[in-house]
């Protein structure tokens, strides 16, 4: 049976010339978009690809948006049993009706529910109720599940389709499910289906885990933690813990599963293992949402062994910064070191580690490492360069200024330049800003925008300027146009920071007409907190 035939049977008596456009029509399928994003090795070309239903889900504004797969993680911990059971029952009976009759009204009712994208909230309960209803797979349900998963333009429908396919268990669907699972938004659902369908679920999940880097990787790695496969264990410790959400989510689990302690006991370890060990330790000593150093029985030994390897091999900016963080960790007076003694953290042991750390930090080659990184020009090292330069008291103004001139609307470059601002540099920088930041495109009127959307990049650049501009009241004449633009920006943070600049300048440095402009801004201000700040400033 052709997949699309499920929508052609039993259309009641509706006139095809007057029937409304169905909710799934005239939009591209998510599966098709994701498949076109795979290279010859079936790896995603563009990571964290925007899904074709994004505008319908979030609109085109600057609203806070869930990272791919994050919303389902939250929903899995916050449910209401009464509402859940009611929704699950409704869903299950709709699925049964579709499986038996394939009526358009049932298809549309179910799809309208799925478009809300809260599938995970009630999925398990729905599947359980479907099983109790003895729903038939043929002649309609399997094709319908395939259509939802592989032809639907909406993420909620795709997720439910994957779940139904996992329940049906036809191995012919497995390859396409892996295609969808290569996007973090769908990995959790693909993972469950793979476990139900694959002859080698662990190997299939491992291959998929390498393709995802956000919540999808977090979900899969947690399922692989108890593996007996030595290759997977090595991967977990060397690479699997890394993700774009927070390494803290997986660092402890992967250190244990991959036996990081045993790996560091070898006299000679490769650079990949050394780098991974550093990243795991960095995550363990930072407070996070999951287990940390206080949960890790091998923590003291692992850090000691890591430092022993680093004594003669410390040569990256990330290692320098980790050494600084370890020094801070070992000298934390608020920590309960008495409780940590049972895990090897004696006072003498910590003193020895601090000596090792400070010996490495005192080596003369760090400035050479810093300058080599600057010359390399790797954008991913920008923040490490800035931090290490601050520790080493190296002036990086020329590098920051040069980078800004190369990328004049790069938010990070503006931040670094303004952080290093002096009175002598400010006129030149403000002139550059006037020439490269289209202020008229920012001053479009006050609104409630948060400014996180990609369309507000220049607004975030203005923010970087405003955050420092208040330190230079002597240049109020030069900087007033930026303040005025900020007051007229749709982004709340721009207007708030513009008010702060005026406050720090002091009224004695305001230009003529400033009070009137601020009064008008306060009159139309849509954000209550910012409006009060404007009025308070006027009354001072």
């Amino acid at each position: 049976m052709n997949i699309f035939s499920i929508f052609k049977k039993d259309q009641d008596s509706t006139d095809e010339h007057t029937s409304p456009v169905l909710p799934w029509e005239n939009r591209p399928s998510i599966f098709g978009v994701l498949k076109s994003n795979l290279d010859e090795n079936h790896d995603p070309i563009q990571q964290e690809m925007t899904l074709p239903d994004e505008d319908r889900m979030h609109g085109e504004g600057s609203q806070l948006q869930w990272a791919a797969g994050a919303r389902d993680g939250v929903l899995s911990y916050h449910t209401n049993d009464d509402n859940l059971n009611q929704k699950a029952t409704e869903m299950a009976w709709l699925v049964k009706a579709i499986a038996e009759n394939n009526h358009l009204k049932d298809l549309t009712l179910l799809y309208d529910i799925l478009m809300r994208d809260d599938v995970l909230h009630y999925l398990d309960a729905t599947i359980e109720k479907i099983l109790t209803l003895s729903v038939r797979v043929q002649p309609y349900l399997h094709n319908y599940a395939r259509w939802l998963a592989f032809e639907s333009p909406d993420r909620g429908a795709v997720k439910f389709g994957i779940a139904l396919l996992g329940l049906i268990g036809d191995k012919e669907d497995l390859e396409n499910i892996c295609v969808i699972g290569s996007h973090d938004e769908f990995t959790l659902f693909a993972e469950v289906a793979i476990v139900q369908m694959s002859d080698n679920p662990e190997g299939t999940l491992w291959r998929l885990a390498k393709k995802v880097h956000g919540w999808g990787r977090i979900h899969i790695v947690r399922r692989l933690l108890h593996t007996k496969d030595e290759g997977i264990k090595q991967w977990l410790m060397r690479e699997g813990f890394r993700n774009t959400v927070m390494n803290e989510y997986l660092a402890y689990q992967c250190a244990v599963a991959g036996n990081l302690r045993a790996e560091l006991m070898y006299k000679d370890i490769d650079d990949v293992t050394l780098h991974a060990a550093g990243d795991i330790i960095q995550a363990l000593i930072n407070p996070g949402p999951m287990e940390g150093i206080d949960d890790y029985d091998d923590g003291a030994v692992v850090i000691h062994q890591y430092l022993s390897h680093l004594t003669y091999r410390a040569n990256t900016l990330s290692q320098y910064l980790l050494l600084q963080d370890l020094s801070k960790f070992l000298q934390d007076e608020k920590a309960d070191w008495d409780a940590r003694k049972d895990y090897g953290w004696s006072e003498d042991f910590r003193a020895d580690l601090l000596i090792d750390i400070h010996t490495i930090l005192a080596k003369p080659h760090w400035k050479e490492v810093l300058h080599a990184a600057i010359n390399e020009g790797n954008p991913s090292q920008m923040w490490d360069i800035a931090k290490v330069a601050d520790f080493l008291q190296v002036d990086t103004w020329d590098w920051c200024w040069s980078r800004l001139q190369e990328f004049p609307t790069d938010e990070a470059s503006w931040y670094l330049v303004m952080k290093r601002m002096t009175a002598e540099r400010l006129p030149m920088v403000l002139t550059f800003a006037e020439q490269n930041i289209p202020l008229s495109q920012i001053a479009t009127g006050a609104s409630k925008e948060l400014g996180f959307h990609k369309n507000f990049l220049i607004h975030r650049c203005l923010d970087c300027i405003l955050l420092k501009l208040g330190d230079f009241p002597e240049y109020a004449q030069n900087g007033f146009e930026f303040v005025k633009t900020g007051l007229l920006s749709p982004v709340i943070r721009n207007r708030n920071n513009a008010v702060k600049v005026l406050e720090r300048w002091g009224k004695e440095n305001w230009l003529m007409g400033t009070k009137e402009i601020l009064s008008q801004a306060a009159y139309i201000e849509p954000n209550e907190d910012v409006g009060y700040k404007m009025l308070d400033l006027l009354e001072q």
Side-chain angles (χ1 to χ4, degrees), residues 1 4-12 100-104 107 139-140:
M1 177 184 292
F4 295 103
S5 68
I6 61 175
F7 301 118
K8 297 178 181 177
K9 179 182 180 296
D10 197 2
Q11 302 288 310
D12 300 326
E100 293 179 352
N101 302 305
N102 196 42
H103 287 171
L104 180 60
L107 297 168
Y140 303 120

Side-chain angles (χ1 to χ4, degrees), residues 230-245:
E230 290 300 323
I232 297 178
K233 288 182 180 181
Q234 282 285 306
W235 179 80
L236 291 173
M237 185 274 296
R238 293 158 66 97
E239 182 62 33
F241 68 93
R242 292 196 174 93
N243 64 87
T244 57
V245 183

Side-chain angles (χ1 to χ4, degrees), residues 405-418:
Q405 290 175 299
E406 185 177 358
F407 306 103
T409 57
D410 177 59
E411 175 188 3
S413 296
W414 272 108
Y415 176 83
L416 292 176
V417 161
M418 295 306 297

Side-chain angles (χ1 to χ4, degrees), residues 28-217:
S29 74
I30 286 176
F31 171 78
V33 171
L34 295 181
K35 189 173 183 179
S36 68
N37 186 49
L38 300 180
D39 62 19
E40 63 275 8
N41 297 317
H42 301 286
D43 293 327
I45 298 170
Q46 179 184 343
Q47 294 293 337
E48 300 183 5
M49 185 181 190
T50 301
L51 297 174
D53 67 340
E54 195 71 36
D55 288 344
R56 186 191 69 78
M57 292 293 299
H58 303 294
E60 297 183 357
S62 63
Q63 300 97 325
L64 285 171
Q65 299 178 10
W66 294 97
R71 186 171 187 266
D72 290 322
V74 173
L75 283 174
S76 65
Y77 293 103
H78 301 281
T79 59
N80 181 291
D81 290 339
D82 293 334
N83 293 337
L84 183 151
N85 289 327
Q86 182 179 353
K87 179 64 71 63
T89 300
E90 178 186 1
M91 294 281 292
W93 279 105
L94 280 172
V95 170
K96 183 176 178 64
I98 291 168
E100 293 179 352
N101 302 305
N102 196 42
H103 287 171
L104 180 60
K105 63 181 180 181
D106 295 323
L107 297 168
T108 304
L109 281 172
L110 181 58
Y111 201 88
D112 284 341
I113 295 172
L114 295 175
M115 286 179 71
R116 301 168 196 166
D117 188 34
D118 56 353
V119 174
L120 190 63
H121 193 85
Y122 50 79
L123 183 58
D124 287 344
T126 301
I127 295 298
E128 290 177 6
K129 292 186 180 296
I130 289 174
L131 290 171
T132 63
L133 293 176
S134 301
V135 177
R136 293 182 297 172
V137 173
Q138 299 298 341
Y140 303 120
L141 186 60
H142 194 180
N143 277 336
Y144 177 61
R146 283 174 168 166
W147 186 89
L148 286 175
F150 308 138
E151 299 294 338
S152 166
D154 293 288
R155 64 189 69 187
V158 172
K159 293 170 184 177
F160 193 66
I162 295 172
L164 289 178
L165 290 175
L167 184 64
I168 293 167
D170 190 333
K171 292 182 176 60
E172 290 186 3
D173 299 319
L174 185 59
E175 182 178 346
N176 285 344
I177 287 175
C178 288
V179 170
I180 299 176
S182 64
H183 191 287
D184 287 280
E185 183 69 24
F186 306 103
T187 312
L188 175 61
F189 299 85
E191 170 195 334
V192 176
I194 288 168
V195 171
Q196 295 172 301
M197 300 167 65
S198 176
D199 293 329
N200 177 24
E202 202 171 73
T204 304
L205 289 174
W206 185 21
R207 288 191 294 274
L208 184 57
K210 296 176 183 178
K211 301 177 187 293
V212 289
H213 301 276
W215 284 100
R217 174 168 288 191

Side-chain angles (χ1 to χ4, degrees), residues 15 78 91 196 246 253 265 275 459 467:
D15 186 340
H78 301 281
M91 294 281 292
Q196 295 172 301
M246 289 180 71
Q253 293 94 330
M265 289 297 178
H275 182 46
H459 300 70
L467 284 170

Side-chain angles (χ1 to χ4, degrees), residues 504-518:
R504 289 160 65 192
W505 277 352
K507 288 186 177 180
E508 66 275 12
N509 293 298
W510 287 8
L511 273 64
M512 184 177 298
T514 300
K515 184 176 180 180
E516 289 73 19
I517 292 173
L518 185 58

Side-chain angles (χ1 to χ4, degrees), residues 390-417:
D390 288 343
F391 276 117
L392 295 175
Q393 297 182 326
V394 173
D395 183 4
T396 55
W397 164 257
D398 290 340
W399 167 70
C400 294
W401 177 234
S402 176
R403 179 177 175 79
L404 179 62
Q405 290 175 299
E406 185 177 358
F407 306 103
T409 57
D410 177 59
E411 175 188 3
S413 296
W414 272 108
Y415 176 83
L416 292 176
V417 161

